[in-house]
Structure formats: C-alpha cells, structure tokens
Amino acid sequence: MTKTAVVTGAARGIGRALAVGLAEAGYDVAVTDLAAQADGLAETRALIEAAGRRAFVETVDVSDRAAVVAAMARIEDAAGGIDVLVNNAGILKPARLEDLSEADWDAHMDVNVKGVLSCCQAVLPGMRARKAGRIVNIASIAGRQGVPTQGHYAATKAAVITLTRVLAQEAGMDGITVNAICPGIILTEMGKNNLGSDEAIRHWEEVAALKRLGAPEDIVGPVLFFAGEQSAFVTGQALNVCGGIYFH
Ligand SMILES: NC(=O)c1ccc[n+]([C@@H]2O[C@H](COP(=O)([O-])OP(=O)(O)OC[C@H]3O[C@@H](n4cnc5c(N)ncnc54)[C@H](O)[C@@H]3O)[C@@H](O)[C@H]2O)c1
C-alpha cells in the first residue's frame, strides 16, 4: 500500500526537494507551508503529481498548535493515515545575542521548536495506533556548534536534536523511529541570506571536504533512509549532512 509522507515548509527550498524526492520514491505527499506561500505550495503540488503521486496541500503556520492539529487530522482523513512526518519548516534571522529582540527569540522558539513538537504531537496518536511511523526532524549543524549571529537559531536546533532523542525513547515501543538530520550550508534562500556574499560562499566551499556547498537535493537521500525500512533499527540519531564542514 502506498505510504503517505508529510513535509512542513515545502513551498520552496529543502522542503520542496524533500517533497519531490519522496514522491519520486513512491510516497504520496502532503505539503504544508504558510498561507503567504500558497503559490510555491501549488508548484510543489504540481511536481508531486508530475511524479505520479497523490498530493495533499494544507496552508498552516506550524507555530499555531490548534491549526497544526486540525491540518494533520485533515491530512490523515484524506490520505488514510500519516506514515512519515518530516519537520522541515524553520526560520533564521541572524542577530548577535546581545542585540536579539524578545520578539525574534520567541519567533524562533515558536516556529523551530514548538512547531516541531506540535507536528509530532499531532501525528503520534495515529502512528501509535498503527504501530508504525517515521519522524525526521530537520535540525542543523548549528545545533551542534553555535556560530556568531545564530545563537538563538542554534539553541532551537539543539532543542530539536534533544526532542528527537527523547521522543525516540518515548515512542519506540510502538514501532516509531525519530531521527534528525543536521544539514550544513545548503544554497536555498535561507542559506544564501545567511552567507550574505559570494566571498563567503567561496570560503565555505574551500573549507568543505567535498569542496562544494549543498543543494536541497543533497538532503533527500538521508531523509529517504530515515523514512524507509532500511533504517528500522536506527532511532534517536542526528546525522550531519554537510559535505564535510563539521565532524562532531
Ligand atoms: N539552508 C541551510 O543552509 C540550512 C542549514 C541547516 C538547516 N536548515 C534547515 O532546513 C529547513 C529548511 O530550510 P531552507 O533552507 O529550505 O529554508 P527556506 O527559508 O528556503 O524555506 C523554509 C520554508 O519554511 C516555511 N516556513 C517558515 N516559517 C513557517 C511557519 N511558521 N509555518 C510553516 N512554514 C513555515 C517558509 O515559508 C519556507 O517555505 C529549516 O528548518 C532550516 O532551519 C537549513
């Protein structure tokens, strides 16, 4: 039977690549993003359908818990259950910690941490009932080692890694695995804004063992691994997918 995967923040960037990659691997895919990203979501839907799979679309802000619960319930009804959840939606607005506003701290926590938790809470009852499920959280190598101007973002991604480890222990008895991926520098809108200049891109290309930065498609294979049967005995892990710029 065809499995259904949900990808949050799938209107562009890594989320879109994951949605298309999952469709090409044979999953029906439900994609969510902010209402302001409806056009991008429609393009992602068309790419999923072009891969021959069913697409489901929900506009939802992951920081709104009630909206998340309602959207996941609609997806479960329409698709007949959620087999894989990929928590990809995230934000990064760089600031030095001493200058960081309370509003920006709260926004990063609400989207990057509470959003992940709310989506997990929304899908776990169905996964437990079916005694199977895969959750893949998109964290960041920033969550392993903070860098200047990303202290608040790094704190959210460290929290995602910790949530991953604890949820894995709390849900494993029901056949559910929970793992995280820690991308390095991926050349999406977020990645390019973060680097800021061609010079910075060249610097990090030189640092990387593979002498290049990432494309969104570089995250697809690791997500398919965690989503699939080959990883059935892997849970609570965080995998760096960074071309060799960070090794811990
Ligand atoms: N690009 C990188 O270098 C990089 C590195 C490490 C980790 N990541 C992580 O990968 C994920 C995807 O990043 P990306 O580079 O594709 O970024 P992006 O900014 O290109 O895309 C993020 C998507 O998430 C959506 N989103 C933001 N806030 C949302 C909310 N409240 N509710 C629903 N959707 C929301 C955006 O609308 C957008 O479509 C993020 O979690 C990010 O932190 C990215």
Side-chain angles (χ1 to χ4, degrees):
M1 195 173 134
T2 303
K3 291 189 169 172
T4 300
V6 177
V7 183
T8 67
R12 68 182 191 204
I14 294 171
R16 173 180 287 172
L18 297 180
V20 174
L22 283 156
E24 288 173 347
Y27 293 83
D28 289 340
V29 186
V31 288
T32 78
D33 209 303
L34 297 169
Q37 302 291 337
D39 290 350
L41 272 181
E43 281 179 46
T44 307
R45 171 203 279 266
L47 292 167
I48 294 164
E49 289 173 347
R53 305 306 336 166
R54 288 197 300 172
F56 308 93
V57 175
E58 288 285 341
T59 51
V60 57
D61 181 336
V62 294
S63 68
D64 179 343
R65 181 166 303 194
V68 165
V69 169
M72 293 298 175
R74 284 192 295 271
I75 292 168
E76 283 190 328
D77 280 353
I82 294 171
D83 301 286
V84 179
L85 167 66
V86 183
N87 279 308
N88 167 80
I91 56 170
L92 165 58
K93 185 175 164 196
R96 284 156 49 91
L97 282 176
E98 65 204 75
D99 304 324
L100 182 68
S101 70
E102 185 178 356
D104 282 343
W105 169 264
D106 288 346
H108 283 75
M109 286 291 162
D110 281 353
V111 177
N112 296 3
V113 184
K114 191 177 83 176
V116 169
L117 178 62
S118 296
C119 291
C120 291
Q121 289 176 326
V123 304
L124 276 166
M127 289 182 173
R128 283 195 193 276
R130 287 191 307 281
K131 299 280 180 209
R134 295 280 190 269
I135 296 176
V136 187
N137 295 324
I138 306 300
S140 171
I141 58 169
R144 300 201 185 270
Q145 173 166 322
V147 291
T149 77
Q150 292 185 22
H152 52 316
Y153 174 80
T156 67
K157 295 300 188 177
V160 169
I161 293 170
T162 301
L163 289 179
T164 300
R165 291 177 177 148
V166 175
L167 267 178
Q169 295 170 73
E170 292 181 348
M173 70 289 290
D174 282 321
I176 299 162
T177 69
V178 188
N179 291 287
I181 286 172
C182 299
I185 303 168
I186 310 299
L187 293 173
T188 61
E189 214 154 308
M190 179 189 287
K192 288 178 198 156
N193 287 344
N194 177 25
L195 285 170
S197 69
D198 290 346
E199 197 185 346
I201 291 176
R202 278 194 297 279
H203 165 75
W204 284 107
E205 284 172 344
E206 192 48 45
V207 169
L210 295 177
K211 299 299 168 204
R212 69 175 180 89
L213 299 182
E217 292 71 23
D218 286 312
I219 310 301
V220 172
V223 166
L224 289 178
F225 171 66
F226 283 138
E229 284 311 305
Q230 286 98 334
S231 65
F233 200 52
V234 183
T235 197
Q237 304 304 308
L239 175 68
N240 295 344
V241 182
C242 67
I245 60 174
Y246 188 71
F247 296 93
H248 300 285

